[in-house]
Amino acid sequence: MDTAMEHPTTTWDAMPDGNVFYRRQQLYSIPGKLPDLGDYIIAGCRSGGPIALMRDNTKLIAVGRATPAFSKAQIQIYSPAGDGLLLFSWDQGRIVRFGWSFDERLVVLNEEGVYRLYDLQGDYQQFSLGSEAAEMGIVDARIHENGLVALTGSLTLLEVKGWEGGRPLALAAPGLSEPPHAWAVIPPDQNISRHVEVLLSVDTTILAVDNLESVDQRLSRGPFTHVSPSPNGKLLALLTFSGLLWVVSTDFQRSLAEFDTRTVGADGQVNQAEWCGNDAILVTWNNLALLVGPSGDTLRYIYVGTTFAVTDIDGVRIVSQDVCDLIQKVPASSVSVFRPGSSSPSAILFDAWESFSRRSPKADESIRSIRPDLAAAVDECIDAAGREWEPYWQRRLLSAAKFGWGFLDLYNPTDFVAMGQTLKVLNAVRFFEIGIPLTYSQYIYASPSQLVTRLTSRNLHLLALRISSFLSLKPDVVLKHWASAKLARSKSSTEEGDDEVCRLIVDKFQTLGGGDVSYADIAKRAWEVGRAGLATKLLDHETRASDQVPLLLTMKEDKLALIKAVDSGDTDLVYHVLLHLHKRLPLGSFFRLIEDGGARLASASRLLQVYAREQNREMLRDFYYSDDRRVESAVLSLEEASRMVDPTAVVTSVKAAHKFFSEDKDRAFEAKMMDESTRLLSTQQQLEKDSDGKVNFFGLSVSETIRTCILNGMAKKADRVKAEFKVPDKRFWHLKLHALTAMRDFEALDAFARSKRSPIGYEAFVRHLLEKGHAKEAATYVIRCDAPKRVDLYVDCGEWRSAGRECKERGDKARLEQLRKRCPNSLIARELEQLAASMK
Amino acid sequence: MAAASTSPSDAQTSSGLGRESEPSLDVELLKEIGKKALIDALNSVNGAKTLVLDPTLAGPLGLVTEVALLKHHGVDKMFWLEPGPLSSTTSNIVYLCRPLIKYVKILADQIKRHAKESLKHRYTLFLVPRTSTLVTRILEEEGVLGDVTISSYNLQFIPIAEDVVSLESDNAFKEIWVDGDETVIYNSALALDTLQKLYGPFPRIVGKGDHASRLATLLTKPLPEQALSTTNIPPPAAPFDSLIILDRQVDMITPLLTQLTYEGLIDELIGLRNSQVELPLSLLTPPAAPNPANPAALPSTSAAAVIPVNNEKMKKHHLTAATDPLFAELRDLNFSSVGKSLNKVAHRLDEDYKARFQAKTPAQLRDFVGKLGGLQTEHQALRLHTGLSEMLVPVTRTDVFNKSLEIQQNLLASYEVSNQISAIEDLIAQGADMQVVVRLLCLASITAGGIKAKSLESAKRELLQAYGYNYLPLLLSLSAPPLSILLPNPLPVSTVPSVAASKYPFTTLRKSLRLLIDDNPEALDEVENDISFVYSGYAPISIRLIQCVAQKNGVISNPAEKNVTDDGDAKGKGSAKKLYAHPILGWKGFEDVLAAIPGKTFDIVQKVPGGDTAPSVTSLLRPHEQTTTTIVFFLGGCTYTEIAALRWVSRQNRGRKFLIATTGIVSGGSLIQSIAGVSKKGPGSKDTSIYSLSTRLTLLIQYHTSALEQMAPRAESKTESEKPARKTKSSAGSGGRKKLSAFNKFMQSEMARLKETEPDMAHQERFKLATANWKTAKENPRATA
C-alpha cells in the first residue's frame, strides 16, 4: 500500500528558478461527461462549485452530432465531477451574461435588464434593473459574488448590490462612445473604498469608474483583450492585443511583471487569462495552459481540447473534457515537509516518524535534533495534513504530528482535533458523488455553515444534517430547506395529506431543531405552492409575530394579522397591517374591522389616529364621525383652526368645534368655552378694525387682549372686554399693573391705584415695580401696604431712610439696629444712628 | 420645604466621595457602539455628503459624537431638517431623522423641489432607531420612494452620566399616555434587550404599571435579532441582579413638583436638554486676561463679571460630571446647600493658589506650576457654577416661585385644599407660567382625588382666558382616560369606569410609604438622611417603590439614621459600616401597598439559559463579595431629582449599584408642554417656552447683587463677605483703596439702569444724564441734607 500511493511531490512542478513549486492535483477524471467546451459559454462557481454552460450561438456546429439542437437557450449545470445537476431552458429575452453568486445561485441576466437567480433545484427569483434599463437595453454585465454591474445600451453602468432585488444605482458616467474592449469589476469587499470599482479598457487606456467619478488611468499600452483582477483585488492582469501579459497593481502605481505570450508558440487566440491564487496567472489556449509566475517564469500544462479555468483564492481550477484539475502554489507547510532535501524541523519530524514506524533507531536521534522546534514542527505537520488531497497522506502527517507531541511536556491538541474533524468533512464532500472539491483554505474562508447550505441546496439533507451535528452547528437551516423540499415533493392537497405533512415537519423540527426553526418560512413556502390549509396549520406553530403577520396578510386573514401585530407590541408591524388594509379594504369595512376589535385593537386604533392626524385628516374626520366621537372631532377642528391663517376660516373651525361639544351633553363647559372663544375672536376683529389694523389682536387670549388694549391706549376697550368676558377684578388689576409698568406710564398707574381700593393689595404693586426695576416708583406705594411689611419693602426699594423712619414710627428699636448693621454705606448708617438716637 | 432652608447636607457630599471603590458597569461602551454605528452608516455612502439632521437628534448625537468626527467621514455641510428649500453642493444628501411623518414630508418636499429644478442628487435616509413601514408608505404616497435609499441608524441608550443611560426620546410620555402610540415601549424593549446582550441577562423583572407590564412581557418574548457592531465584550464587573420597570403613571406626583436639587432646578428654571444648558457666553469663557495674582473669584465679587447683559449671545454648554468634578459634587445637592459648597470650594482653591507663596525652592515652584492647569480648570468650573447659581437665586426668590412651592407643600399635606385652588387662581392672575399653573392643578387633583367640580371649572375658565382657548385640548387630554390627572370630584355619572378605578390613593400612600417628613426642627436632620432631601421634605413615590424592592428597610425608617451620631467623627468608618444590600426578593412585604396603586404589578423570574449554574456557585462561595447592578427603567421619563434620590439610595448599601435607564429626562414643565405641543403653533399661543423664564431672570439679575451669601449660614457669610470685598478692588483695578462713595454706588446702579432703559444712547450722554440725576437723587447726602 505504501508504495502504491504516489509521493505528494509527484504532482509538483518547480518554476525554472527552482524555488517555487506549483502542483497540479487531479480532482476528478471525467472522460466523456461534458460536451465540447469550445462550443459553449461557461461560468464557473468558485470554491469547488459547479459550472454552467450555455451553447455559444456565434460558433458553428456540425449538424448531426449527438448533441441535440436547441431551439431556444438552454443552460446546463454540471458539478466539478462532471455530473449534470440541472438543465433548464430560458424563455425570456436574449441572455447577455450569467454568473454565480456567493451562495451558489446562478444569476442569469438578459438584454431587457431582467435577471433571475436559480438555485440548484431550478427554483428562481426574478428581479429587474428597472424600466429605464429595459428601454436602453443591457449590452454586457459582470457578475461577482455579491452583486453585478451592467453595461447599458447607452454605455452607462448600473450597479446592483446584493441579491435581494435592490434598486440599481447608476455609477459615474464613463463617457464611452463604443463598448469597451474588455472590462472587469473589483467587488466592494476587495476594494479599499468598500465600493465597487469598474475597470474599462478604452482605446489605449483604462478607465476606473466608481459611483462618484470616472478616472482615466492614462495608460498607453492598450487596448487590452483581457482585464482580470486578482482574487484579493490588489493586482490586475492585462493582456494586450499583441499578446503582452502585463501585471500592475489596481491603483496603477506599480508595474509588477511583463510577459510576452507570443514566445510560447501556442496556436490561436488566448482563451482565458485567469489568476491562480494571488500570485500567478494562468493563460489558456486550446490544448495548452500556461502558468505565468510572479517573476515571469512559466510552467506549461498540456490539455486536450478546450479548457475552462475558474479562479479561486488559493489556486485555479481547470475543467477540460477529460479531467478536472486544481493548479495551485504548493502551500508552505507542504513544501516544508516534503521538499526534497528539506531539513526543516517538520521534515525531520516526519522522517523521524517514518523511521519509528519502521522501528529504526534513527527516530530518537532525529527527534532529539529538533527538540527546541518540536512544537512548531508538530503544528506544521498538522497544517500540511490539511493541504493534502489524499487521505493516506493526511493520515500519515497527522500520525507524525501525534508522534511528535508525545515528546512535548505540554501540548494543546485543539488544532489537531479540529483538523481531524475538518478533514473528515472535506473528504466526505470531495467524494465524486458529492462533487465539491473544496480545499482547506477555501473551507476556512467560506465557513462551515456555508458548506452546509451548499449541501442542502443540492438536496443532500442527510449529509448536511450529519455534518451539522458533527461540527455542532445549528440544524435549523438544513431542516428549513428539508421542509420546503418536502412540501414541494408531496403533491396531495387533501386534508389528511396536509395533516400528515404538517405532523411530519413539526415532529422533525421538535426532535432536531430546538426552538430556532421558523415555521413562518415553511408556511410561506406552503402558501406559495398553493396549499393554504397547510400554511395555516404550520403558522400556528410560529411564535414570532414579525414572521407571521406578512403571511397572514397575503392569506387575507386580516383580523388575525392585526391582532397578532398588536400583540407583538411592534408598532411598525401594526402600521404595516393598517396601511396594507387601508389600501385594500373599502373604508367602511376597514373602520368596522378596527372598531369591532374593541379593547384588543385599541392600540391599533390609536396608531391609525396618529398617522391620520399628520397624513390623512379627511380619513380621520370620517373615522371620528362614523364612530360618533364628538370630543375628538371637536379637538380635530380646533387643531385645524390652529393651523389656519385666514380669520374667517378660524372662526368657522372654532364654531364647528363648538357644535361638536354642544352635541355631547357632558361637555357643556367645553361648549361654553368655545362659545366664548368665538365671541372673543369677533371682538378682536372689531378691535382691529377700531385701531385701523395697526394693532394685532386676532388670536390673543382674553388677558392678552386686555393687555394689548391698555398698551395701545385703549383703556376703555379694555374695560369693555373685561366686562364682556367677566374677567375677575384680581386678574384685571394685575394685567393693568403689568401693562402700565411696561409702558412706564406711572401717572396712569397712580390714578389707577387710587381709582378704588386695590383687590390685589398694594404689595403687588411694589413687588412688580421692583421686579421691573422701578425702585423709586415702587417706594411710593409702600405706605399703602400693611404696616408690618413696610420696613422690609422699603429696604427692598433701597429706601433705607424711609425704612428707618418706619421703624421709628413703630418704635421698633431692635429692627432699626438690624437695619444699621445691614445698610450699604456709612452715610446711611450714620443717619440711622441718628434716628435711633432720636427715638428715646 | 422652603427652598431656602439653611441647613447644609454634609452627609451627602462626604458619602458621595467614598463610593468609587466598588466596580460598576461601563456604560461608555454604549457610547462607543453608537459612535461606531454612526460611522458605519456614514461610510456606507461613498464620497462627500451633505448631512440633513433632525433638530431633536442633534442633542443626543452630540452626546455620542462630535462634529469633527462627522467631517472626518465625509460630511461636507450640515443642515437642519426644516421646511423650505435645500441647496446642496454635494451629490450625496444624507438625511438622519426619527421616523416622524412631518420629517418625511419635509424630505419629500425637498426632493420634489430638486426634481423640479432638475438637480441630480442621491438621497439616503437613515432612520433612528430603525426603519419603518410608515415612512416607506408616506414616501410612496408622495411619489419619491424610488429616489431614496432607506436604512437605519440604531441609536439606543446613550450614557448621559456614569450611572444614567437614556433613550433621549423627548415626547415619550405624550406618545404613550396621550396619543396611545406605543412605539417607545417597543423601542425600549429592543434597547433593554441590547443591554442584556452586552452585560448579561436580567434574572428578574419587577415592576409596576400597565405599560411597564407590557414592556416586561415584550422582554420575555423573543425579540427580533439586532446586529451588534461589537462582538467580544469582557464580562461586566457587576452583573445585573434585576430590572425594575416603573411607568411614569405610577407616580405622576413627583414630576409635577418643583425639583429642588441643583441639577433639577437648572432643568426647571433654565432648561437642560440632552444634558446641555444654554448659558451666556461670558460664563463659559474664562475672563480675557486671567490674572494669576487674583484668581479666586468668590461668589460675591464674580457677580459683577457674571451679570449677563440682556442680549448677550447664548451658548450651549454640556453639563457633565465626567469633565467637571465640581458638578459631580453639586448636582445632587439640595439647592439650599449649593451656596455653602461653592464657598468651601472657593476657599480651598484660594488656599491652593496661596501655596505659591510658600514655594521657596525651584522644585516647589515647579510643583506648583504643574498643578496650575488643574487649578485653573477648577477655577473656571467654580466660576461657571457660581454664575449658574446666581442665575437661579433671583428666580427662587420671586413671589410666584415661592407661592407655588407653598401650594405644593400644602397640597402634599392635604392642608386646606380649597384654599389652594384659589391660590392657584391668584397665580393665574399674577401671570405665572402656564405650565406652573397646570402642574399645580393636576397635583391638586391627584392628591385630593379630584377637585370640586365648581372650583375646577372656574380654574379652567381662568386658565383658558389667561393663556388662550387653544389650551382646551390640553385640559381635555389631562382629564381623558389613560392619564386622568385633572378630574372633578365627585366624578360625573357618565365617566368611564376605568377612570374611577384609576384613582390615586395618595393619602394612604403618604402614610404607608412615609412620603412626607415633618418640617419641625428635629425632623430636619431626618430630611438630610432620607431621599426626601430632593424635595426638601417629600420623598418621591417612584423612588420609595424602588426602595420597596431594593432597600426594604429604607421605606420604613432611615437606614442612615444610625450613622448620624458618629457621622461627624468617623467619616471613613461610616462607609465601612454600610450594610450589604439584601438580595432582590421582589415586592415581598409591600404587596398591599402595591395593590392599592392603580396599574398592574408584576414580578417575573426569568430563566437564564445556560448561565444559571455559574452565578449561583460564585454567590455561594462569596455571598457578600460580589457587587451586582440593579437596573431601574423609567418608562416615560424620570426627573433629575429622582436620579439624585436613587444615587442617595445606592450610597446607603454596599454590594448594589443602580443603573438608571429612562426614555428621557423630564420635568413637570416639559411634560405639560409636550402634551400642549399640539396647539403650540396656534393663534395667540403664548410663548411658554422655558426660556421665557430665563430671559426674565436676566433682567432681574441686574438689580440683585449676589444673593448667594445670604443663603449661606449667617455666621460664615460675614467672614466671607470681607474677603471678596478685598478682591474686588485689586481685580477691578480702579486703583482706590478707599471704599466706594455714595456717588460711585449711585452711578454704578444708575448707569446700569440707563443702559437698560435707554439702550441706544451713547455712553457719554448716558453719563451726563446720570450725573444730572445725582443732583436730585435720594442717595446724594447733599441733596437730602
Side-chain angles (χ1 to χ4, degrees), chain B residues 104-122:
Chain B
V104 181
K105 284 182 138 177
I106 298 173
L107 179 153
D109 186 52
Q110 290 176 346
I111 293 176
K112 280 192 266 185
R113 218 182 277 244
H114 285 166
K116 215 179 275 168
E117 295 160 13
S118 62
L119 292 169
K120 278 256 176 186
H121 288 294
R122 252 187 294 255

Side-chain angles (χ1 to χ4, degrees), chain B residues 491-510:
Chain B
L491 290 165
V493 212
S494 59
T495 27
V496 202
S498 69
V499 176
S502 67
K503 208 163 213 187
Y504 206 73
F506 176 70
T507 36
T508 26
L509 284 186
R510 189 167 58 204

Side-chain angles (χ1 to χ4, degrees), chain A residues 738-774:
Chain A
H738 288 206
L740 289 175
T741 312
M743 290 166 72
R744 306 174 155 275
D745 190 348
F746 298 117
E747 282 162 31
L749 185 63
D750 195 49
F752 173 58
R754 287 169 202 285
S755 64
K756 70 174 195 179
R757 198 181 150 66
S758 162
I760 54 170
Y762 290 94
E763 197 185 331
F765 278 68
V766 180
R767 292 264 173 235
H768 184 71
L769 283 166
L770 270 178
E771 204 174 296
K772 296 289 171 205
H774 307 294

Side-chain angles (χ1 to χ4, degrees), chain A residues 367-551:
Chain A
I367 285 286
R368 240 175 252 231
S369 69
I370 54 163
R371 207 48 198 267
D373 304 318
L374 194 54
V378 168
D379 286 341
E380 202 155 45
C381 279
I382 293 173
D383 189 65
R387 315 290 172 173
E388 278 310 313
W389 206 261
E390 291 297 336
Y392 172 79
W393 289 103
Q394 292 167 359
R395 206 175 297 126
R396 284 179 79 88
L397 283 162
L398 286 179
S399 302
K402 207 165 98 187
F403 170 72
W405 111 54
F407 294 89
L408 290 170
D409 296 333
L410 273 173
Y411 186 76
N412 181 357
T414 327
D415 289 348
F416 181 83
V417 174
M419 182 59 81
Q421 276 187 336
T422 309
L423 284 174
K424 211 167 174 182
V425 171
L426 286 178
N427 290 336
V429 300
R430 284 169 186 170
F431 186 60
F432 75 94
E433 282 178 2
I434 312 295
I436 305 179
L438 200 61
T439 66
Y440 179 70
S441 33
Q442 287 162 11
Y443 171 78
I444 296 300
Y445 177 75
S447 85
S449 57
Q450 205 230 6
L451 177 64
V452 171
T453 327
R454 293 174 68 174
L455 289 172
T456 53
S457 69
R458 285 168 170 78
N459 267 356
L460 298 167
H461 296 117
L462 187 58
L463 180 64
L465 200 62
R466 292 257 167 85
I467 289 182
S468 304
S469 56
F470 183 62
L471 296 175
S472 40
L473 298 172
K474 281 187 182 171
D476 50 339
V477 197
V478 183
L479 286 174
K480 201 173 114 184
H481 197 276
W482 167 82
S484 318
K486 186 95 199 157
L487 278 175
R489 292 285 153 80
S490 67
K491 291 279 184 252
S492 79
S493 60
T494 55
E495 187 71 15
E496 302 89 68
D498 283 353
D499 278 344
E500 173 70 15
V501 175
C502 180
R503 195 181 50 75
L504 252 171
I505 291 175
V506 172
D507 278 358
K508 192 77 102 189
F509 278 16
Q510 276 163 355
T511 48
L512 292 168
D516 293 330
V517 196
S518 163
Y519 288 95
D521 292 342
I522 315 297
K524 185 156 178 252
R525 189 80 196 154
W527 171 254
E528 278 164 5
V529 298
R531 300 178 66 172
L534 182 55
T536 331
K537 286 198 180 74
L538 285 169
L539 210 50
D540 279 344
H541 293 277
E542 178 59 59
T543 47
R544 271 170 294 224
S546 54
D547 296 340
Q548 270 178 320
V549 170
L551 186 58

Side-chain angles (χ1 to χ4, degrees), chain B residues 409-429:
Chain B
Q409 191 196 14
N410 290 341
L411 284 174
L412 288 176
S414 304
Y415 172 77
E416 292 181 341
V417 178
S418 51
N419 283 2
Q420 305 314 319
I421 308 293
S422 45
I424 296 172
E425 282 186 29
D426 284 352
L427 279 182
I428 301 178

